[in-house]
Amino acid sequence: MKVLVLDGVAREGLQKLENEPGIVLDITKTVPEDQLIAIISEYDAVIVRSATKINKKVMSYAHKLKVIGRAGVGVDNIDLDEATRQGILVVNAPGGNTISATEYTIAMMLALARNIPQANTKLKNGEWDKKAFMGTELCTKTLGIIGLGRIGSAIAKRAQAMEMQVVAYDPYIAEKSVISTDIELVDLDELLERSDFITIHTPKTKSTRHLLNTEAFSKMKDGVRIINCARGGIVDETALYDALRSGKAAGAALDVFEEEPLTNSPLFELNNVVVSPHIGASTREAQIKVAADVANEILATLKG
Ligand code: NAD
């Protein structure tokens, strides 16, 4: 059986699959869609990160494909309806990058609170400008976590260690699951009204698209800071831009965008916006863990 591995999935995590008798791995970087279409019919399984889109067109050429593996959490680059229609299983590696994404979100929150990227740029450009970078402490501030799943709850633990007050909104988890954690479960409006920092950790779905829109911003505290290291489009970028321009929001830290890759945006022109190119899960540890997790899933499927 042949497995195509794309998008630079970490080879160290694929050893079990590589050593399995009867399985041949072809490992390559991301290829353009026309090249993928030309070769996909040879493969029983394909493993991708987020760059390759396994859409309806690609699947229509994938005559032998039994399983698609996503080395990571979000499967929005795979057409799930079409996969279901064709009887192709889709597996992912939901827990492998939790710690990396969590630590990255905390790093973004601190960078935002203390203007670290801006100070770094200014000093490297030859300016010793202490006055420009008055920051804010996290201690005693309220952090609103939208989506209290794997990453959201790991963030809560770390924020509490920094003596932040944590409130969370997640309509799909039970009150009793947070009873011993000092996390207050609230509805969305209350979270918006009370939080000094708001961080998003939901998947991108029809119900979370533009969850933070103009109306949501109008309910927030003046001077709120927004962090989105989940998925682009959960925050309405136009509404965020307006909130930042008007002073309603004091800053934003964004690792994800509605359109990716993105190299130009009105948001990039604002000094109180910290951005990065979707690198929340970019650590060696996470890449090896997600590759190993997805390889196990693929192996289990191919072996029946
Ligand atoms: P998870 O499934 O463990 O948690 C998501 C939580 O969101 C769940 O508890 C769910 O109940 C909740 N939720 C769903 N819809 C909601 C809604 N409408 N309102 C409030 N809560 C809602 O997922 P996770 O592993 O914690 O990942 C969270 C997000 O982080 C995902 O979007 C994932 O793709 C993203 N992520 C990004 C990076 C990165 O590189 N920046 C890395 C890893 C994960």
Side-chain angles (χ1 to χ4, degrees), residues 49-50 70 72-76 93-102 104-105 145-154 168-173 188 200-209 211 228-232 234 255-256 260 276-282 287:
R49 288 180 64 197
S50 55
R70 160 73 167 102
V73 187
V75 285
D76 31 307
N97 55 25
T98 298
I99 296 300
S100 290
T102 299
Y104 192 75
T105 305
I145 301 179
I146 302 181
L148 199 60
R150 280 176 293 262
I151 297 170
S153 33
Y169 165 66
D170 190 324
Y172 304 109
I173 66 164
L188 183 59
I200 295 163
H201 301 287
T202 68
K204 185 173 177 190
T205 62
K206 281 190 190 108
S207 73
T208 61
R209 185 178 177 273
L211 190 65
N228 187 8
C229 296
R231 279 289 176 271
I234 302 174
D255 185 45
V256 289
E260 293 181 11
S276 57
H278 202 148
I279 56 171
S282 300
Q287 291 315 308

Side-chain angles (χ1 to χ4, degrees), residues 65-165:
L65 200 63
K66 298 176 187 62
V67 54
I68 301 166
R70 160 73 167 102
V73 187
V75 285
D76 31 307
N77 54 326
I78 300 163
D79 185 334
L80 294 181
D81 292 339
E82 186 56 23
T84 307
R85 212 184 57 76
Q86 293 199 25
I88 301 169
L89 199 67
V90 177
V91 295
N92 67 346
N97 55 25
T98 298
I99 296 300
S100 290
T102 299
E103 290 181 356
Y104 192 75
T105 305
I106 298 287
M108 287 292 255
M109 181 160 64
L110 285 161
L112 184 60
R114 302 303 302 274
N115 306 299
I116 297 169
Q118 299 90 328
N120 176 70
T121 304
K122 212 163 193 186
L123 183 51
K124 285 187 172 173
N125 286 332
E127 264 193 86
W128 185 272
D129 188 358
K130 279 178 75 111
K131 288 196 185 71
F133 301 115
M134 190 56 70
T136 183
E137 289 184 348
L138 300 186
C139 182
T140 76
K141 299 292 178 342
T142 299
L143 173 64
I145 301 179
I146 302 181
L148 199 60
R150 280 176 293 262
I151 297 170
S153 33
I155 300 278
K157 229 194 244 180
R158 286 153 181 80
Q160 286 170 332
M162 293 192 291
E163 299 179 56
M164 298 185 85
Q165 303 298 317

